Amino acid sequence: MTKMATTMEQLQGVINNMQAARSQVASLNAQVQELEMTITTVKDQPSELALHKQLSGVLIEVADRDALVTELETTLTTLKEHLERFLEREKQLLATYQQLKQVLEGE
């Protein structure tokens, strides 16, 4: 196999990984936005109105709203950490892509 063919295979692998990373970034962004909206809604819900959460397909009334908000905020923090890792991975893949592209352009 020639050096160019090997570089092309590497480039294709990087492109595939970039597409997967971008898909994960989009999914995590959507989850973060949804969770942020949920937290705001829970905090704004009047205390005299019942609040429910879904657990295994069953709606259960929430007794401790503060605990629920804490749980949601912890989940949000975790999602944002995952998002940052995927963004960093995407950045690394883009740098690798640029390097491989330069190698191919030089040949």
Side-chain angles (χ1 to χ4, degrees):
M1 183 177 289
T2 67
K3 182 180 178 188
M4 183 176 201
T6 301
T7 304
M8 288 293 289
E9 282 185 17
Q10 290 173 332
L11 186 63
Q12 187 59 50
V14 168
I15 290 170
N16 290 342
N17 288 333
M18 281 178 57
Q19 289 172 338
R22 286 185 174 159
S23 175
Q24 286 294 328
V25 165
S27 175
L28 285 168
N29 268 326
Q31 290 176 45
V32 164
Q33 289 174 355
E34 183 177 335
L35 200 48
E36 287 172 339
M37 192 169 52
T38 299
I39 291 168
T40 299
T41 301
V42 168
K43 287 180 176 180
D44 291 346
Q45 176 81 2
S47 59
E48 64 273 5
L49 296 178
L51 184 64
H52 296 82
K53 75 175 186 176
Q54 185 172 345
L55 184 64
S56 300
V58 177
L59 284 178
I60 298 173
E61 187 170 348
V62 174
D64 187 348
R65 289 176 187 234
D66 291 336
L68 176 62
V69 169
T70 299
E71 177 185 333
L72 292 171
E73 288 174 340
T74 299
T75 301
L76 179 61
T77 298
T78 301
L79 282 175
K80 284 182 175 182
E81 289 168 359
H82 288 307
L83 178 58
E84 285 303 315
R85 282 197 294 273
F86 274 104
L87 286 169
E88 184 58 36
R89 178 70 177 138
E90 183 182 31
K91 192 171 150 183
Q92 292 169 350
L93 288 166
L94 184 57
T96 302
Y97 170 82
Q98 294 296 338
Q99 290 170 348
L100 290 171
K101 186 177 163 190
Q102 287 177 347
V103 168
L104 286 173
E105 289 172 349
E107 290 184 3

